[in-house]
Amino acid sequence: MDSIQRVANAVQRKLRGESTGHDWYHAERVCTIALRIGAEQSADREIVALAALVHDIADWKLNDGDENVGVRQVARLLQAEGVSQPIIDKVISIITTISFKGAGVATPMATIEGKVVQDADRLDALGAIGIARCFAYGGHYGESIYDPTIKPTRHQSAEAYKAAKTTSLNHFHEKLYLLKDRMNTPIGRTLAAERDQYMREFEERFLAEWSGQK
Ligand code: ADP
Ligand code: NI
């Protein structure tokens, strides 16, 4: 068994049953699509796969806001599965810079492997799966599916974005529709545009049903 497979097994054990849209299958889908985009970009396969698999273990939302807890967990997990320190350092540098932090906050990735994994993670927030994850996340955190009296906000800082109370449909506007113009790679852009279009059709239909037109 290679290090990618061993890490995949460890992440699967760790994320089993997670219900905010950051479950094992999210990690697996991100890994699959990251490897597809990465092959096209001649990115390093091991770094791409490992970063994709562990990227959400270090998510601040899963660790009560403390990024260091996640980083230490990831480093320990990778060490335990025999990954070398230089690779661990590269993976950690990717996963600590990957997250969306609000409409007005840039999140540039330094390496091609980082760009690839960021694109793959963003793609999984779009399309049919993105819609399902958005409502699952909203339900978990007590958001309404939609509320016409609460308008979407363009958050100008990471703090404002983290603190905001919103609705799941507003999240389409606050984050998800912004992603297609922030993709790093050509395939990422093509796939994101297609998934974005599908979500806009969903929203149109949702609002038509909401108002009793359909
Ligand atoms: P990232 O991978 O950029 O850190 P997040 O962890 O913020 O992404 O988001 C992961 C998933 O949770 C996405 O599918 C996203 O749509 C969803 N999500 C994040 N914040 C909200 C929110 N306020 N309401 C609904 N869904 C959300
Ligand atoms: Ni993710």
Side-chain angles (χ1 to χ4, degrees):
M1 208 192 298
D2 66 7
S3 67
I4 298 175
Q5 193 53 54
R6 284 197 304 275
V7 169
N9 292 346
V11 172
Q12 185 166 18
R13 282 194 299 275
K14 200 169 168 50
L15 292 182
R16 190 174 292 147
E18 210 283 331
S19 64
T20 67
H22 295 94
D23 58 6
W24 155 247
Y25 290 111
H26 166 61
E28 187 182 47
R29 287 190 304 271
V30 172
C31 185
T32 302
I33 203 145
L35 285 172
R36 176 177 158 199
I37 300 173
E40 195 93 4
Q41 298 290 315
S42 309
D44 182 278
R45 197 173 169 276
E46 186 182 11
I47 296 172
V48 165
L50 293 178
L53 287 169
V54 301
H55 79 277
D56 268 333
I57 292 178
D59 198 298
W60 51 268
K61 281 185 240 55
L62 305 183
N63 291 297
D64 299 324
D66 186 348
E67 280 181 4
N68 295 325
V69 175
V71 168
R72 280 196 300 272
Q73 275 176 23
V74 170
R76 268 200 306 272
L77 186 150
L78 294 172
Q79 272 152 8
E81 304 308 336
V83 179
S84 73
Q85 196 58 46
I87 301 268
I88 294 179
D89 293 342
K90 290 193 175 121
V91 168
I92 298 237
S93 139
I94 292 174
I95 64 176
T96 49
T97 48
I98 197 171
S99 265
F100 183 90
K101 298 194 168 64
V105 187
T107 44
M109 299 302 287
T111 60
I112 188 61
E113 288 76 22
K115 290 179 196 223
V116 164
V117 177
Q118 189 177 51
D119 273 11
D121 191 29
R122 288 177 166 173
L123 283 169
D124 208 54
L126 297 176
I129 286 179
I131 293 171
R133 291 181 69 219
C134 182
F135 287 106
Y137 180 105
H140 185 86
Y141 287 100
E143 284 174 3
S144 310
I145 56 170
Y146 176 57
D147 183 337
T149 67
I150 304 176
K151 300 294 174 207
T153 317
R154 294 271 158 119
H155 303 293
Q156 294 307 314
S157 72
E159 293 67 38
Y161 176 67
K162 285 187 196 183
K165 180 95 188 136
T166 187
T167 71
S168 295
L169 205 67
N170 276 357
H171 190 66
F172 285 32
H173 293 269
E174 290 171 353
K175 168 178 173 183
L176 304 175
Y177 290 153
L178 308 177
L179 295 179
K180 78 171 177 12
D181 294 326
R182 295 187 174 203
M183 302 300 285
N184 303 305
T185 65
I187 325 174
R189 264 190 295 283
T190 305
L191 294 173
E194 216 174 275
R195 292 182 185 207
D196 180 279
Q197 184 53 35
Y198 179 82
M199 294 178 76
R200 289 174 197 269
E201 286 158 23
F202 170 88
E203 185 185 11
E204 206 179 299
R205 170 84 202 191
F206 182 105
L207 294 172
E209 291 182 13
W210 188 277
S211 65
Q213 283 174 302
K214 285 257 167 81

